[in-house]
Amino acid sequence: MIEGRPKTIAVLDIGKTNLKIVLVSEDGRVVEHLSRRNRVVDGPPYPHIPVDEVWDWFLESLAILARRHAIAAIVPTTYGSAAALIDEDGLALPVLDYEADPPPKVKASYAEIAPPFEEVFAPTNPAGLTLARQLHWQQQVWPGRFARARHLLTYPQYWTWRLTGVAAGEITSLGAQTHLWAPERSDFSSLAKRHGWDRLVPPLRPAGDIAGTLLSAIADITGLPAVTPVLCGIHDSNANYARYLAAGFDDFTLMSTGTWLISFNAAQPLRQLDPARDTNVNIDFAGRPVACARFMIGREYELLAGPASASRPEILAALSRIMENGAMALPAFTESGGPVPGAGGRGRVVGPPPANDVERIALAMLYVALMADQSLDAIGSRNMIVIDGGFADRPWFAELMAALRPGQPVRVSSETEGTSIGAASLLFRDHGPQWSAPLRPVDPPPLPALAAYAEGWRLAALS
């Protein structure tokens, strides 16, 4: 600890695309962050996360930051659909990448045992995006290694375990479309109990609980005191949602954006969700079920737009040209699900193709905004919309949302690291200040042709 300097909370923010360590001050401001790209190893035995590589980068970066800042606590937050099976020596099997596709026999056998949507409020997602299907795959193909597992740790809690040696379960990750949790019963699903997977999960603890303190070897490497507390940890989109709950927000729809768009609307009754539109239930940090919808916004945007950039006047002109000539990007450009039933992997551009990079960007922005609009419809969003994360930095996305949903106020976060801020806020939830979440109001752009274009797009996309 550096005496005399303001205290910070170090958030280990592991995204599918990027790894980050974000330092958040005690009043909720981002002080500094370090980042690098995340990656997947092809195999064997299947595509997986190189966790030791992530670990080495994390410790090295934490040591750098510890020399410059007073770090009072650490909290991990990660994406869902990932878990670690721990035996006496460490990992019983590598942490499976959720984009890895199970063999046909595994998919067929899982279809026979998958719990009903009405129990788990999550469809069986493509590839490995349903955690229970990952476990079924591992147990069927590598039964001996699976049998050695003593703990099943969801991904944030795996990093807490590496930092502290303490194994813990936690509800936001267990309830993130895993098929392991029954939201209405607040209990493990029938599938998890039938296969004994529930017995591998350590006792559940709140995300903001102090799970333990740093192992002495970690303290030596990083230069942090061994008494530095480490929180249990939280699912990343739920951390973003927690930020706004901490700021006192009530009736709102959160659009948490990055590789994925995860939209939260607590006002939507769970029984009105349609699994064909990639709706599901997430469990917030307090154990409450929240209606959600999702699609892979960042990946699909990148596939369409490419790496180029453009100015605001250029994009406005390109949007007008695209709508005038009738070019449309129709879903979907990944096989990751989304709000248009059965569209996975069928993405295509109809009409005149983009003539240049600017038109590609404009077409991509139109496409993801229209898909996001469908996601919000799928969860009955009628309240204030809050946009946080990577797409809060793309002004045309928010403005298009304001135009597509004229009856709802649209607000954009002034700080794009909402996930890390929300994770850090857990430390103060019961005994500290209520953090603010400054928002900027958004006006629709001058695009009079958008309403007719959007209606044409919906007819084409849903036909």
Side-chain angles (χ1 to χ4, degrees), residues 209-436:
D209 259 18
I210 295 174
T213 56
L214 289 179
L215 294 168
S216 58
I218 308 305
D220 291 342
I221 292 169
T222 61
L224 290 169
V227 294
T228 302
V230 180
L231 275 60
C232 187
I234 187 169
H235 174 239
D236 55 6
S237 296
N238 275 284
N240 202 175
Y241 188 60
R243 178 197 183 190
Y244 292 93
L245 297 180
F249 286 63
D250 183 14
D251 186 23
F252 70 107
T253 295
L254 173 65
M255 300 178 72
S256 178
T257 65
T259 301
W260 291 90
L261 165 64
I262 309 292
S263 298
F264 291 72
N265 181 25
Q268 174 77 342
L270 306 189
R271 293 279 167 174
Q272 293 181 15
L273 296 176
D274 179 358
R277 302 188 70 187
D278 214 346
T279 61
N280 53 74
V281 168
N282 272 284
I283 310 298
D284 76 6
F285 72 93
R288 297 169 296 213
V290 183
C292 293
R294 47 166 236 155
F295 91 97
M296 211 170 193
I297 187 171
R299 181 71 55 77
E300 297 219 14
Y301 177 83
E302 288 177 358
L303 288 170
L304 276 166
S309 60
S311 69
R312 181 185 182 85
E314 288 176 317
I315 292 177
L316 179 59
L319 287 168
S320 296
R321 287 196 302 273
I322 286 168
M323 287 187 285
E324 181 180 350
N325 65 31
M328 291 182 180
L330 299 176
F333 295 86
T334 69
E335 295 187 5
S336 58
V340 178
R346 289 172 28 211
R348 63 206 185 278
V349 175
V350 298
N356 51 47
D357 286 347
V358 179
E359 288 193 2
R360 274 191 289 276
I361 293 168
L363 183 66
M365 195 62 75
L366 269 172
Y367 168 75
V368 296
L370 288 160
M371 288 287 279
D373 181 52
Q374 289 294 302
S375 283
L376 295 192
D377 279 351
I379 55 171
S381 174
R382 299 291 180 269
N383 43 22
M384 180 178 72
I385 295 169
V386 177
I387 301 174
D388 201 316
F391 278 77
D393 259 354
R394 303 175 194 261
W396 277 109
F397 175 75
E399 293 177 27
L400 286 169
M401 293 309 301
L404 291 167
R405 308 190 72 83
Q408 296 173 256
V410 176
R411 304 286 184 264
V412 173
S413 172
S414 59
E415 171 54 74
T416 60
E417 299 292 352
T419 292
S420 294
I421 294 171
S425 76
L426 296 171
L427 187 66
F428 304 105
R429 184 159 302 281
D430 297 324
H431 51 80
Q434 184 181 73
W435 288 0
S436 65

Side-chain angles (χ1 to χ4, degrees), residues 33-51:
H33 79 274
L34 300 176
S35 66
R36 53 156 278 188
R37 297 284 287 188
N38 205 353
R39 75 181 191 103
V40 172
V41 175
D42 287 339
Y46 41 65
H48 61 273
I49 310 302
V51 292

